[in-house]
Amino acid sequence: DFGKAVLEVRNELGVSAKNALELSVNMKQASIGAKLVGGDTEKAEGAIKAFAEQTGRINQLSGKTATQFGAIASTIGASSESMATLLEFTLMANNGSQEKALADIKSVEAIAKQENLLGSQVFDDVASSAKESALFFGKSVKEIAKATKEMRKLGIEASALTGAAEALLDLEQSIGKEFELQILFGKNINLNKARQLAFDRNGEALTKEIKNLFGDQFDLSTMNAAQAESLKTTLGFTQEQMGKLVNGMDPFNDKAKESNKIFDFIRNN
């Protein structure tokens, strides 16, 4: 029952009876939100609890915020920790406005659904990037979600974009790689715009520029080992990530099958 749930929260988190009651009320409200949309009530309550654990204090949410947040958390598939991170991040970005924070979280959900992407991956990527990536430091969750969307459309996790930005901003290495690609492939490859976008921390535009430079511009199935290795290391991508960038997401197309043979040769020799 509810009284038992309050006691469990108090004993588990080591808070006062008053704070345990406040948190339990929010958890119950989130659970109601989950029920309204046919979602997972445990996930909804877990996200509220994770929010308290991550911030280290009891932050009482309004009934409307807790209910709507619980509805999203219960159906999107992201971890409770990711949902808590997003709530914390959006509240800080909006000077504590719960209404604006909730609107930002809903915008991430809308971006994922618009492109038919897995909400769980987009939310987890956005939460991880907001917390750990220098590329997205100080950016809104909507900006991060747009960049994440472009990466996930390629079938690549958003963290790879951070690695690509870091590789591009290592100017000596990046310029050297640019000349190396030009020599190996005999074509003009200009990374200046990509470097500028990485410097400006424009994740969405950077992803589009990387796709413009490398997507459909190369045929991995006809490359020699030196060409394939140079292409892969220019952005710091893994074999799998570069294969998806160049060939697209479909693992069953002929180009993908042939290029995988090239990368397998590199890995085993």
Side-chain angles (χ1 to χ4, degrees):
D1 63 352
F2 184 71
K4 182 179 179 181
V6 173
L7 185 60
E8 287 178 354
V9 168
R10 182 181 183 185
N11 292 337
E12 184 175 349
L13 300 183
V15 295
S16 68
K18 178 177 179 292
N19 284 341
L21 177 60
E22 291 173 344
L23 180 57
S24 297
V25 168
N26 276 165
M27 290 171 66
K28 185 66 176 177
Q29 290 164 331
S31 177
I32 292 172
K35 286 181 180 179
L36 291 174
V37 295
D40 187 329
T41 57
E42 288 188 9
K43 270 200 164 185
E45 292 183 1
I48 295 291
K49 184 180 175 184
F51 175 58
E53 291 174 326
Q54 285 193 190
T55 59
R57 60 184 184 276
I58 304 300
N59 303 275
Q60 189 168 18
L61 303 173
S62 70
K64 179 181 177 181
T65 299
T67 301
Q68 293 188 16
F69 179 69
I72 297 171
S74 70
T75 57
I76 204 65
S79 68
S80 296
E81 290 72 24
S82 290
M83 294 304 301
T85 295
L86 280 179
L87 182 56
E88 179 183 12
F89 182 81
T90 52
L91 281 169
M92 288 191 297
N94 289 290
N95 297 317
S97 170
Q98 295 183 25
E99 184 177 355
K100 290 180 179 178
L102 197 60
D104 281 351
I105 292 173
K106 287 180 178 179
S107 73
V108 177
E109 182 182 28
I111 287 170
K113 289 182 177 179
Q114 180 183 10
E115 297 294 340
N116 295 319
L117 299 170
L118 294 182
S120 56
Q121 292 183 344
V122 173
F123 270 73
D124 285 340
D125 275 359
V126 172
S128 175
S129 296
K131 186 163 59 174
E132 301 172 2
S133 174
L135 177 65
F136 296 116
F137 179 72
K139 300 289 186 179
S140 71
V141 294
K142 192 170 184 178
E143 290 176 293
I144 300 172
K146 286 180 178 179
T148 295
K149 172 195 70 176
E150 294 300 324
M151 289 297 286
R152 282 295 176 182
K153 282 164 66 176
L154 297 171
I156 304 173
E157 60 275 15
S159 60
L161 184 60
T162 300
E166 291 173 351
L168 289 165
L169 291 176
D170 185 340
L171 296 183
E172 183 177 351
Q173 176 179 296
S174 177
I175 293 171
K177 281 292 182 183
E178 185 176 349
F179 285 122
E180 181 180 285
L181 286 173
Q182 290 175 356
I183 292 170
L184 288 172
F185 289 96
K187 61 168 68 177
N188 182 41
I189 298 171
N190 192 328
L191 299 178
N192 283 339
K193 183 177 180 180
R195 281 191 284 264
Q196 183 62 50
L197 291 169
F199 182 78
D200 293 339
R201 299 192 304 121
N202 189 332
E204 181 184 14
L206 176 58
T207 305
K208 291 179 179 179
E209 176 64 11
I210 289 173
K211 186 176 185 295
N212 180 57
L213 286 169
F214 299 100
D216 297 325
Q217 302 298 317
F218 298 89
D219 187 350
L220 294 175
S221 65
T222 63
M223 290 181 196
N224 60 42
Q227 289 173 322
E229 180 65 17
S230 179
L231 190 63
K232 180 165 69 80
T233 55
T234 296
L235 297 173
F237 277 9
T238 65
Q239 166 184 318
E240 180 183 12
Q241 290 164 347
M242 184 54 73
K244 288 179 177 179
L245 173 61
V246 174
N247 292 320
M249 286 182 59
D250 186 357
F252 302 106
N253 68 46
D254 292 335
K255 279 181 68 179
K257 290 177 182 177
E258 290 300 319
S259 58
N260 282 338
K261 293 179 183 178
I262 298 290
F263 281 131
D264 286 340
F265 174 81
I266 296 172
R267 185 177 58 211
N268 297 324
N269 291 276

